[in-house]
Structure formats: C-alpha cells, structure tokens
Amino acid sequence: MTDNDPKSVTTLPEGYQQVYYLSVLDENALLTLNIFSLVLLIVFGALTWLWQGNNNADWNISSGWIVPAVIGIFIIHEWIHGVAIRWAGQKPRYGVKAVKIGRIPIPIAFYATPKGEVYFPRLPLIIIALAPVVIRSLVGWVLIVLSPDDQLDWIISLAVIFNGSGAAGDIWMTREALRYGKQALIKDEADTIRIYAPIADPPATSAH
C-alpha cells in the first residue's frame, strides 16, 4: 500500500466477492474466542509478571474496584479502536453486544466499528485491530518500570493483562485477514467480519 492508496472505501469495487464470514455470536466461534481469550489472559499475565522482574509488588486491591476497573479497561480499549478508525478516515460508533439468557441480556463485548458501509484494505484493518493491544501493552509495561508504588503496579498490571485478554477477537481478525492477499477488503460489522477478494485473484486458502 502506498501513501496514495485509500485507508478505507465505502463502495465495494466491481469484481469482488465474499470469501470469508465470521459471526462472533455463533456458538462455535464464541466458544473458540473465549478459550483464546483465556489463553491470552495467561500469556499476558505471565509476560507482565516476568516484566515486573520479581519486584514483589503488593498484589492486593479492594475487590470493589475490580469490576469498574475492568469495564474502564475495555472502554479505553474500544476508544483506541475508534481513534484508529478516525485515522482511516471514518467515524466510529460504539456499543455493547449482549446475549439473552431467558429474558435477561448479558453483555459479552464492547465494540467500536465504523459507521455505515465501510471496507478496509488489509493493512489499515490490521492497524485498527491491533492498536489497543500494542499501544496499551507497551505503555503499561513502561509505566510498570517507572511506577514508584506497588499498588499502582498492580493496577497497571491488571490493565495490561485484561486488555491483552480482550484482544482475542482483534488478533483472530488479524489472523484471518493475513490469510488473504493485499487486494482483500475487510468489512467489520461489530459482531461479524466479512472479507472480500477479487474474483480473478482468489486467495490461496479456501474460505470457511
């Protein structure tokens, strides 16, 4: 992609067809993403603990702060997605996806997605998808080193770990986008992802 290439388009070019579709609300996809999220929780927890360098941080905090802190972590995560969407020339919209258990809606994910019909080339889509986990992890690990307080270490570590775990869908989306050529266009619809490729230049791998 050159500097003259668009970071997003609002009309699918002629000659493109859908080659991949994923709904995160599908039972199998939801289970897979939850397992992947748990794996990332362990990975980022281990990396953050190792990064602390055995500084014996006081890993105690009032339980009353945990739920608001986690919600805040995910809100900032989606806000960074929104900043990246604006970088790509589009306006973001934010929301929460929920599933109903009986009549009770249970929130399962915050999201940031572009308004209207928008298709991203592969590189801008990857930048949008990975911006929160890359930026917040790097900033968090730097702050851990600079932090003079063990309690603050705990809070920053919590933010890094849960932010990393919450990036399961973003990393999965990146993985799928990389399976297709540079000409691919990706449409993010909050709870679904659709990948389009030129009919005359199909991807090397088959769509799911």
Side-chain angles (χ1 to χ4, degrees):
M1 175 176 293
T2 68
D3 292 338
N4 294 324
D5 290 331
K7 297 183 179 72
S8 61
V9 295
T10 55
T11 303
L12 190 67
E14 291 186 11
Y16 273 68
Q17 65 178 351
Q18 180 174 301
V19 294
Y20 179 83
Y21 171 81
L22 172 69
S23 170
V24 298
L25 298 181
D26 175 79
E27 288 187 7
N28 291 332
L30 193 58
L31 176 61
T32 300
L33 287 174
N34 282 334
I35 293 173
F36 187 37
S37 181
L38 179 59
V39 171
L40 289 176
L41 185 72
I42 295 170
V43 169
F44 275 87
L47 288 174
T48 302
W49 179 79
L50 289 172
W51 183 255
Q52 286 181 336
N54 298 318
N55 64 359
N56 297 316
D58 180 10
W59 287 71
N60 292 309
I61 192 171
S62 172
S63 59
W65 284 98
I66 291 182
V67 172
V70 171
I71 292 175
I73 289 165
F74 291 136
I75 289 175
I76 295 173
H77 181 107
E78 298 307 325
W79 175 77
I80 295 174
H81 278 313
V83 171
I85 289 171
R86 289 187 182 278
W87 163 80
Q90 300 297 328
K91 293 182 178 180
R93 64 182 178 88
Y94 304 92
V96 181
K97 285 295 177 181
V99 294
K100 284 190 175 182
I101 298 180
R103 296 183 178 180
I104 302 174
I106 305 296
I108 60 169
F110 295 90
Y111 68 82
T113 192
K115 293 181 178 180
E117 296 283 319
V118 178
Y119 305 87
F120 293 106
R122 191 177 66 175
L123 180 57
L125 183 280
I126 291 173
I127 291 172
I128 292 169
L130 297 184
V133 68
V134 172
I135 292 173
R136 293 194 66 188
S137 295
L138 293 177
V139 170
W141 287 330
V142 169
L143 290 178
I144 287 172
V145 173
L146 299 178
S147 171
D149 182 73
D150 286 348
Q151 189 74 203
L152 185 57
D153 278 353
W154 197 101
I155 296 171
I156 297 170
S157 297
L158 182 72
V160 170
I161 293 167
F162 278 96
N163 181 68
S165 175
D170 303 327
I171 296 173
W172 191 275
M173 184 185 300
T174 298
R175 170 185 174 272
E176 293 302 329
L178 288 172
R179 295 176 59 233
Y180 297 88
K182 293 181 179 180
Q183 299 301 313
L185 293 172
I186 300 98
K187 185 179 181 184
D188 176 13
E189 300 174 309
D191 59 354
T192 65
I193 175 176
R194 299 174 188 269
I195 300 179
Y196 300 84
I199 297 174
D201 185 23
T205 54
S206 59
H208 291 178

